[in-house]
């Protein structure tokens, strides 16, 4: 990656990295190198969730918890992160293996969304939570956030979380159980667990996000059938 392109991205983020290796890793897909972005993505997902939750708590005073959860789900879902990735012009900066690049990986929404989370994780490691939260707030500054947002349809993960919360049960746990296939055509297998209910399901998909949604849909169907 050219230094000029790296500097331009940092300007768009409004965060100059003390450790440029972090931003390079955040843009590196597993098909390119064993030093890829997935661990940063895992970290960034949590930082993003907390930063968006705080933003909603402050901006939508008096909004019930259930509605806040649904709005947050809309803001951190793949489609929203994909739009942010396009604004950041991440596609040409992604480091992909030859097969992944030829199969259209540079424009794949799941990869671009993962890279956004990885960048947030990279900022957190580079400069701490305050800097990462500030980046998140800037990334979402152009989005209109209002109580009307819950009208959007619920994805399976959100629907499952709300079903559990309504019954005062803890949120589900997701864990990647296996990744199969060639680097440019991987299938993720994710396990969804609700320990208190001794329930477990397995989902799969072309990305971690898709596999989590598949596992959540299976879990919700299972729990609803058991608790009619």
């Amino acid at each position: 990656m050219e230094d000029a392109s790296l500097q331009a991205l940092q300007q768009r983020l409004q965060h100059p990295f003390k450790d440029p290796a972090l931003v390079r890793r955040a843009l590196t897909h597993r098909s390119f190198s064993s030093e890829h972005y997935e661990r940063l993505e895992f970290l960034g997902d949590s930082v993003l969730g907390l930063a968006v939750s705080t933003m909603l708590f402050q901006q939508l005073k008096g909004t019930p918890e259930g509605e806040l959860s649904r709005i947050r789900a809309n803001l951190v879902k793949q489609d929203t992160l994909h739009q942010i990735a396009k604004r950041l012009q991440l596609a040409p900066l992604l480091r992909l293996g030859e097969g992944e690049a030829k199969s259209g990986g540079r424009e794949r929404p799941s990869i671009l969304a993962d890279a956004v989370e990885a960048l947030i994780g990279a900022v957190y490691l580079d400069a701490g939570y305050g800097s990462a939260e500030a980046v998140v707030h800037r990334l979402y500054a152009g989005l209109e956030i209002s109580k009307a947002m819950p009208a959007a349809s619920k994805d399976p993960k959100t629907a499952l979380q709300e079903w559990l919360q309504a019954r005062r049960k803890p949120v589900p746990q997701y864990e990647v159980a296996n990744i199969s296939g060639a680097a440019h055509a991987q299938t993720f297998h994710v396990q969804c667990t609700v320990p208190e209910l001794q329930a477990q399901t397995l989902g799969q998909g072309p990305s971690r996000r898709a596999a989590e949604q598949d596992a959540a849909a299976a879990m919700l169907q299972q729990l609803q059938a058991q608790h009619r």
Side-chain angles (χ1 to χ4, degrees):
M1 189 186 306
E2 296 181 3
D3 287 343
S5 298
L6 197 64
Q7 289 296 331
L9 173 60
Q10 292 176 78
Q11 289 173 6
R12 291 193 290 275
L13 288 170
Q14 296 180 48
H15 177 79
F17 275 82
K18 295 190 290 288
D19 182 2
L22 284 169
V23 69
R24 288 192 178 91
R25 180 176 291 192
L27 297 168
T28 302
H29 189 259
R30 65 165 37 243
S31 62
F32 184 90
S33 169
S34 59
E35 297 293 321
H36 51 73
Y37 62 53
E38 289 179 11
R39 284 173 57 83
L40 286 175
E41 176 205 349
F42 166 78
L43 184 60
D45 177 70
S46 296
V47 174
L48 174 64
L50 178 57
V52 169
S53 295
T54 304
M55 183 170 62
L56 295 179
F57 185 84
Q58 294 170 342
Q59 292 185 21
L60 301 180
K61 298 183 185 302
T63 302
E65 181 274 338
E67 291 185 22
L68 289 174
S69 294
R70 201 173 309 159
I71 296 170
R72 179 180 59 194
N74 283 329
L75 292 175
V76 301
K77 67 183 180 182
Q78 178 178 291
D79 289 348
T80 305
L81 294 176
H82 179 215
Q83 294 304 313
I84 290 173
K86 290 199 292 186
R87 291 208 315 272
L88 289 173
Q89 302 171 44
L90 294 188
L93 302 179
L94 293 173
R95 301 203 295 175
L96 306 172
E98 184 178 356
E100 185 64 59
K102 286 183 177 179
S103 67
R106 202 170 296 284
E107 301 298 332
R108 188 164 294 134
S110 60
I111 291 178
L112 287 164
D114 289 347
V116 171
E117 289 187 331
L119 279 170
I120 293 169
V123 173
Y124 172 77
L125 289 181
D126 190 64
Y129 178 74
S131 294
E133 183 181 41
V135 166
V136 170
H137 286 187
R138 288 194 290 271
L139 293 178
Y140 283 86
L143 294 179
E144 181 180 353
I145 298 173
S146 70
K147 295 180 181 180
M149 295 185 76
S153 58
K154 301 178 191 177
D155 60 84
K157 285 182 67 175
T158 302
L160 174 60
Q161 181 171 314
E162 290 183 0
W163 190 94
L164 291 167
Q165 288 177 334
R167 290 157 181 79
R168 301 187 181 280
K169 303 297 182 184
V171 296
Q173 300 170 5
Y174 297 93
E175 181 179 358
V176 176
N178 185 39
I179 303 174
S180 60
H184 66 282
Q186 294 177 323
T187 298
F188 286 73
H189 303 265
V190 168
Q191 188 173 280
C192 174
T193 307
V194 182
E196 186 172 328
L197 298 179
Q198 297 184 327
Q200 189 175 92
T201 57
L202 193 66
Q204 65 180 48
S207 68
R208 176 184 60 84
R209 293 173 184 278
E212 286 180 354
Q213 295 288 3
D214 189 49
M219 177 64 74
L220 183 60
Q221 183 178 24
Q222 175 179 309
L223 294 178
Q224 287 176 332
Q226 293 174 351
H227 297 83
R228 283 175 180 168

